[in-house]
Amino acid sequence: MTLQRKHFTILALAVLGATAFSGALAQSGYPVKPVTMVVPTAAGGTTDLSARMLAQALGPVLGQTVVVDNKGGGNGNIAAAAVKRAEADGYTLLMQYSGYHVISPHITKQKQWEQGDFQPVANVISAPQIIVVRADLPVKTLPDLITYARANPGKLNYASSGNGSLQHVTGAMLEQQGAIKMVHVPYKGTGPALQDLLGGQVDLTFGTAPPFMPHIASGKLRVLAVTGKQRLPSLPDVPTTAEAGYPRVDATSWFAVFAPAAVPKPVVDKLTADIRAVVQNPAFQQKAQEQGATADYQTPAQLGEKVKADLASWATVVKTSKIEAD
């Protein structure tokens, strides 16, 4: 058994006692078979990592295996459409990435789902973006990057997890605030984008810290700034974009569980109670912090309000950044 697997087994057993009575709230017998958690990205990104962290700890609490099913592509539409069509029994859930949930709807012409097709279950992880470059790019700070980009208009290319993803919007914000021009290269998730960044096919990217941390530690990648309001405990020497002189480049992602709209309330109540126990466990919180993220449980009502607010605020950003629809 690997150290990581042991870690999550211990975590799951720790929260199991705290949730022993939550089943009384749920629909009788749920769950009686494995639960599938659909992920709208390829393996390797923070959405995938969030799903796997949660699945490993949540499975023993539910008493059933939680299977992670990656359905990347289509700016999250493939996964969302699959969960929308699934039977509304609580056995098919969506681990959603905020960029796909509140940004993609503003730039997608042929919509395959609507907000009303889903109900919020719980927020799990929140994390700011970081700005990461390949190690051999001749820049060491965010101002260096801006200076280089201005001297070489259109030469730099940046990867994202898809058109309209938060990485794409963050790149567009940086172009706007820094008065620079870069080339956007969309991928089907952070995992593939990261591989091409490591291989030198792209120059930089924007993303939440977890998948980049090992490569930052090894020196293969260089992190220039954090797009949140505070420095990350896991990257204490890395300044925020505000500290680097670009306070309006501010972007934080969230990763949350949604269910088909018709899933019965008792099932959602059980799921959110069990997820809360997992996410609020100190071991889970420490693991998230080590990865450059924050374990951030929010109730269905709180998550629903966040979705409404973010839909409105990102609509303005998409418009001012002149991001075109697919």
Side-chain angles (χ1 to χ4, degrees), residues 19-271:
T19 58
F21 298 102
S22 62
L25 299 174
Q27 180 169 290
S28 179
Y30 176 86
V32 297
K33 62 181 181 179
V35 174
T36 297
M37 188 172 296
V38 179
V39 177
T41 66
T46 305
T47 314
D48 176 66
L49 293 175
S50 298
R52 293 181 188 280
M53 282 178 62
L54 180 62
Q56 284 185 296
L58 182 62
V61 177
L62 288 175
Q64 294 289 340
T65 301
V66 179
V67 179
V68 174
D69 182 11
N70 295 85
K71 293 185 181 296
N75 294 338
N77 285 317
I78 294 174
V83 176
K84 168 189 171 181
R85 295 191 301 266
E87 188 172 352
D89 54 8
Y91 290 98
T92 304
L93 306 172
L94 177 66
M95 171 57 83
Q96 183 64 300
Y97 157 56
S98 58
Y100 290 156
H101 207 71
V102 297
I103 299 177
S104 293
H106 296 301
I107 65 165
T108 303
K109 289 182 178 178
Q110 297 181 343
K111 296 183 179 180
Q112 299 181 39
W113 59 274
E114 301 290 343
Q115 296 293 329
D117 293 326
F118 300 99
Q119 59 177 309
V121 176
N123 193 71
V124 178
I125 295 286
S126 295
Q129 305 279 295
I130 58 174
I131 303 175
V132 187
V133 302
R134 53 184 175 84
D136 58 347
L137 194 69
V139 301
K140 293 186 176 180
T141 66
L142 182 55
D144 285 349
L145 179 68
I146 299 298
T147 299
Y148 183 88
R150 287 175 180 170
N152 299 274
K155 181 178 179 180
L156 288 177
N157 54 49
Y158 72 94
S160 81
S161 62
N163 192 47
S165 63
L166 190 55
Q167 295 100 316
H168 181 195
V169 174
T170 305
M173 283 194 294
L174 184 61
E175 287 183 293
Q176 187 179 50
Q177 299 304 315
I180 61 175
K181 180 62 179 177
M182 300 185 293
V183 177
H184 172 227
V185 184
Y187 288 81
K188 291 184 178 181
T190 300
L194 172 58
Q195 291 306 309
D196 272 9
L197 179 62
L198 290 168
Q201 282 76 40
V202 290
D203 300 309
L204 68 148
T205 192
F206 309 85
T208 47
F212 300 99
M213 294 297 285
H215 308 293
I216 293 169
S218 70
K220 293 180 180 179
L221 299 177
R222 182 180 300 123
V223 57
L224 304 184
V226 176
T227 67
K229 300 186 183 303
Q230 297 179 334
R231 295 191 182 196
L232 287 172
S234 55
L235 295 169
D237 298 327
V238 178
T240 66
T241 46
E243 291 173 320
Y246 296 91
R248 295 180 65 186
V249 181
D250 186 353
T252 297
S253 300
W254 46 262
F255 305 88
V257 178
F258 290 81
V263 170
K265 186 177 184 299
V267 172
V268 173
D269 287 346
K270 174 170 174 56
L271 283 168

Side-chain angles (χ1 to χ4, degrees), residues 292-315:
T294 301
D296 181 22
Y297 170 79
Q298 293 177 26
T299 66
Q302 291 170 326
L303 178 56
E305 289 302 312
K306 178 192 287 287
V307 169
K308 291 179 183 178
D310 283 3
L311 274 169
S313 63
W314 284 114

